[in-house]
């Protein structure tokens, strides 16, 4: 779990020292990975995450509205071990922690679409067109 958290911190902050620490963890447990992989499933998940492209999901909408909650529920019901989920409420930039504002300045421009909460699916910080329909979002998440 620590290795996964280090990888997420590297993705969130852009600080590669976190990724290097995760890689040292993989090296330290290399023999266990080879000989007893079933004993360390979380470490294998982290290793898989380190070999995958970063995935981000941004839900833009009012956290109290039913449509926002439905999109969040759809994401939470889908097994996406490598995703990082953000909620972008309709507020000024103070909604994003200062440490992440520079890294995720694009989130500022992510807004609901035609008054409906929208989901933005991103890979390597490149996002697809927003989705407002939970069923469409569910189908797209299945292919990730």
């Amino acid at each position: 779990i620590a290795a996964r958290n280090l990888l997420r911190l590297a993705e969130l902050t852009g600080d590669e020292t976190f990724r290097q620490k995760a890689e040292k963890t993989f090296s330290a447990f290399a023999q266990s990975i080879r000989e007893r992989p079933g004993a360390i499933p979380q470490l294998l998940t982290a290793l898989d995450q380190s070999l995958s492209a970063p995935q981000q999901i941004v839900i833009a909408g009012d956290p109290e509205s039913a449509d926002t909650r439905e999109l969040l529920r759809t994401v939470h019901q889908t097994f996406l071990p490598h995703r990082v989920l953000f909620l972008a409420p309709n507020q000024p930039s103070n909604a994003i922690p200062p440490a992440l504002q520079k890294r995720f300045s694009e989130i500022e421009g992510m807004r609901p679409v035609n008054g409906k909460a929208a989901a933005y699916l991103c890979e390597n910080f490149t996002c697809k067109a927003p989705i407002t329909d939970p069923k469409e979002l569910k189908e797209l998440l299945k292919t990730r």
Side-chain angles (χ1 to χ4, degrees):
I1 293 172
R4 288 185 68 205
N5 288 338
L6 287 166
L7 292 169
R8 284 189 176 183
L9 283 169
E11 182 179 333
L12 288 170
T13 65
D15 185 343
E16 286 302 306
T17 59
F18 291 119
R19 180 173 296 283
Q20 292 165 359
K21 289 178 183 182
E23 289 172 356
K24 286 182 181 179
T25 303
F26 302 139
S27 294
F29 288 92
Q31 185 172 349
S32 294
I33 291 171
R34 281 190 300 276
E35 294 175 1
R36 296 177 307 285
I40 47 174
Q42 289 294 328
L43 188 60
L44 292 178
T45 301
L47 179 59
D48 182 54
Q49 180 179 349
S50 75
L51 300 172
S52 302
Q55 299 174 339
Q56 306 82 30
I57 301 171
V58 179
I59 306 294
D62 177 358
E64 302 300 320
S65 71
D67 56 345
T68 301
R69 289 193 312 267
E70 185 61 30
L71 290 175
L72 287 167
R73 190 175 307 114
T74 300
V75 172
H76 288 300
Q77 290 175 344
T78 307
F79 180 67
L80 301 165
H82 309 318
R83 62 116 167 103
V84 175
L85 176 63
F86 293 96
L87 176 61
N90 295 335
Q91 296 178 16
S93 62
N94 62 2
I96 302 169
L100 301 180
Q101 284 180 4
K102 182 178 178 186
R103 180 83 170 155
F104 294 97
S105 59
E106 306 85 31
I107 291 176
E108 290 296 316
M110 295 179 178
R111 299 280 180 241
V113 175
N114 298 325
K116 296 175 87 175
Y120 294 80
L121 302 180
C122 311
E123 191 167 301
N124 272 332
F125 306 100
T126 301
C127 303
K128 297 180 182 205
I131 299 167
T132 58
D133 179 14
K135 290 179 184 174
E136 184 181 344
L137 175 61
K138 185 176 184 174
E139 287 303 311
L140 202 57
L141 291 175
K142 285 181 183 179
T143 64
R144 296 196 103 205

